[in-house]
Amino acid sequence: MASPEQPSVLVVEDEPAQREVLAYNLEAEGFRVCRAENGEEAMLLVDEDAPDVIVLDWMLPNVSGIEVCRRLKMRSDTRHVPIIMLSARSEEVDRVRGLETGADDYVVKPYSVIELMARIRAQLRRTRPASVGERLEFDDIVLDAETHKVFRGDKLLKLGPTEFRLLSTFMEKPGRVWSREQLLDRVWGRDIYVDTRTVDVHIGRLRKALCQHGGTDPVRTVRGAGYALG
């Protein structure tokens, strides 16, 4: 079973061979992969579980990749998801059109799988830095995703694995309010049934861990909405 800590990539490609080669390489690199062969299927999968990155082919049957990109970037709940557009169109006007539609990157076919992986990781460093081993900082709290250590000031904090994932989620987007359901999806994953009250228990443990050497509680409860850092 894939871990919710693994970054997820939605591959939207109508050519089965290209779709499977890309998915195979992504899975080998530790990504969770969803596959879609057309624009309608891609939109349904995004509605079910928004991925961390979308690799989107321009030339899709029925609903084109450009149209899928436009629709996703118009929605408040998906406009933040990075989209890497794949296309055999190499003219400057096509690149500009793709980027102006909202694509975060544009890769011309045939492409190097190694280069595409690097571009995916570059997008993740911007949107989910902890998932690619980046160091995160908020006030006097430092989280090192590579070594799985957390410091507050110069003190090493003892956190359980669930509390570490919660803190990673909060520190990637300080100030954002996360509902209990969103935290369940990100930290526990959609494949596991956990009662929403479990979130409250682990938030309590996280607060205790963050204040074990003193300091104010940085986790904010937003009544009727959820929790936020700062």
Side-chain angles (χ1 to χ4, degrees), residues 121 125 128-136 143-147 172:
R121 291 188 183 280
R125 278 195 293 274
R128 276 202 66 190
S131 70
V132 287
E134 294 288 296
R135 175 186 170 105
L136 305 180
L143 182 148
D144 191 320
E146 192 168 7
T147 63
E172 284 179 341

Side-chain angles (χ1 to χ4, degrees), residues 8-174:
S8 59
V9 180
L10 172 59
V11 176
V12 191
E13 169 64 73
D14 64 321
E15 291 289 339
Q18 291 190 39
R19 186 171 65 245
E20 290 309 311
V21 166
L22 184 50
Y24 173 83
N25 281 278
L26 284 164
E27 288 171 344
E29 289 291 314
F31 294 99
R32 289 185 290 135
V33 180
C34 286
R35 302 161 174 81
E37 61 182 32
N38 56 57
E40 294 96 331
E41 186 181 7
M43 296 297 292
L44 287 172
L45 288 171
V46 170
D47 286 340
E48 289 176 8
D49 188 9
D52 295 308
V53 178
I54 299 172
V55 178
L56 179 63
D57 185 32
W58 179 316
M59 298 297 290
L60 295 172
N62 301 323
V63 181
S64 70
I66 280 283
E67 178 60 18
V68 171
C69 180
R70 186 189 67 79
R71 292 182 189 179
L72 291 175
K73 292 299 183 178
M74 285 180 65
R75 287 169 40 176
S76 61
D77 60 330
T78 55
R79 66 166 60 112
H80 68 282
V81 179
I83 295 176
I84 299 176
M85 186 76 73
L86 303 180
S87 177
R89 299 168 179 256
S90 59
E91 297 296 323
E92 182 181 34
V93 64
D94 295 314
R95 291 173 183 262
V96 170
R97 183 182 172 199
L99 294 169
E100 286 187 342
T101 304
D104 299 88
D105 202 352
Y106 189 99
V107 177
V108 177
K109 295 180 175 181
Y111 54 81
S112 156
V113 172
I114 294 173
E115 180 185 352
L116 182 56
M117 296 292 173
R119 289 174 181 263
I120 290 170
R121 291 188 183 280
Q123 294 298 329
L124 285 169
R125 278 195 293 274
R126 182 170 61 83
T127 58
R128 276 202 66 190
S131 70
V132 287
E134 294 288 296
R135 175 186 170 105
L136 305 180
E137 296 186 22
F138 176 81
D139 288 346
D140 59 343
I141 302 169
V142 176
L143 182 148
D144 191 320
E146 192 168 7
T147 63
H148 256 243
K149 290 183 178 179
V150 177
F151 294 86
R152 187 162 192 184
D154 59 351
K155 303 285 188 181
L156 177 64
L157 303 181
K158 292 181 180 178
L159 270 71
T162 301
E163 288 69 48
F164 185 89
R165 291 196 297 271
L166 274 171
L167 184 60
S168 297
T169 299
F170 285 134
M171 290 186 70
E172 284 179 341
K173 293 188 183 339

